[in-house]
Amino acid sequence: MSIDRGSEGALHLKWQLVGHGWARCHLADGAQAASVIASYCTDALADLVAGTGELYGQQRSARFFFDAEPQEIRWVLRTVDDAIDVTVYTFSDIAVSPDLPDSDGAVMWQSAHPRPTFAHAVLTAAHSVLKEHDEAGYLARWAMHPYPVALVQDLRRLHIRDDVCDLPHDLSCP
């Protein structure tokens, strides 16, 4: 998934189900790339979609984590002016890390993107995994959590309503 950000480069966000109960999220922009893993112990795709959606209201930040067994992959999204600052931290032991401040983690990826660009990338990644697996296939591979249909629909509605985005929004599945 690529989104042109003009002189800022491109944002790439791809979500893949890998094996039973595992997903990989690839992130890249013009300057850096990262690949993070998530187990089904957390509803990772739903958390990414919901966290992005939270930034359409009065809330200025959202945080959530992926369980990477035994690591924690913590996402912190902050609204800064008209952009979303995305920082992804890694912690070595999820058994103790939830109580630790962000500064105790190692930064895996940090980048800022206009909200329409980031939201569209999240929506396109979510749609791509649904298109590849459909809802039943997603649940069979992810196992613990169904595909987050309502959250994706809500983010799409907010994105179309509030963002100036000239990219296509036909996210229907055949």
Side-chain angles (χ1 to χ4, degrees):
M1 166 45 232
S2 175
I3 293 184
D4 185 2
R5 293 190 298 139
S7 62
E8 296 178 279
L11 170 63
H12 303 270
L13 196 156
K14 183 176 181 182
W15 192 269
Q16 294 176 295
L17 298 179
V18 290
H20 181 77
W22 292 94
R24 184 176 320 275
C25 180
H26 300 280
L27 299 158
D29 60 19
Q32 61 188 327
S35 184
V36 299
I37 194 86
S39 85
Y40 64 176
C41 292
T42 51
D43 196 357
L45 180 59
D47 293 339
L48 175 61
V49 172
T52 304
E54 288 176 22
L55 300 179
Y56 280 84
Q58 297 295 321
Q59 199 161 324
R60 306 293 294 164
S61 67
R63 62 182 353 95
F64 51 90
F65 71 93
F66 298 168
D67 187 337
E69 297 182 38
Q71 295 89 14
E72 173 190 350
I73 307 299
R74 184 180 301 171
W75 291 66
V76 179
L77 310 178
R78 289 187 180 91
T79 302
V80 179
D81 298 322
D82 293 331
I84 295 177
D85 180 72
V86 181
T87 307
V88 180
Y89 300 90
T90 184
F91 295 83
S92 62
D93 187 354
I94 198 165
V96 297
S97 60
D99 294 327
L100 298 176
D102 297 340
S103 59
D104 282 2
V107 175
M108 290 184 70
W109 196 73
Q110 194 283 320
S111 194
H113 306 279
R115 185 180 69 190
T117 300
F118 186 74
H120 199 96
V122 170
L123 284 167
T124 302
H127 179 254
S128 293
V129 78
L130 178 62
K131 191 173 182 180
E132 180 178 350
H133 298 285
D134 71 40
E135 287 181 52
Y138 180 91
L139 182 58
R141 298 277 310 261
W142 192 236
M144 297 282 290
H145 308 279
Y147 181 82
V149 174
L151 291 171
V152 171
Q153 289 173 342
D154 192 45
L155 178 58
R156 180 177 181 268
R157 178 187 57 78
L158 292 168
H159 173 62
I160 290 171
R161 183 191 74 191
D162 294 352
D163 293 333
V164 176
C165 181
D166 297 327
L167 298 171
H169 293 93
D170 179 19
L171 301 179
S172 60
C173 256

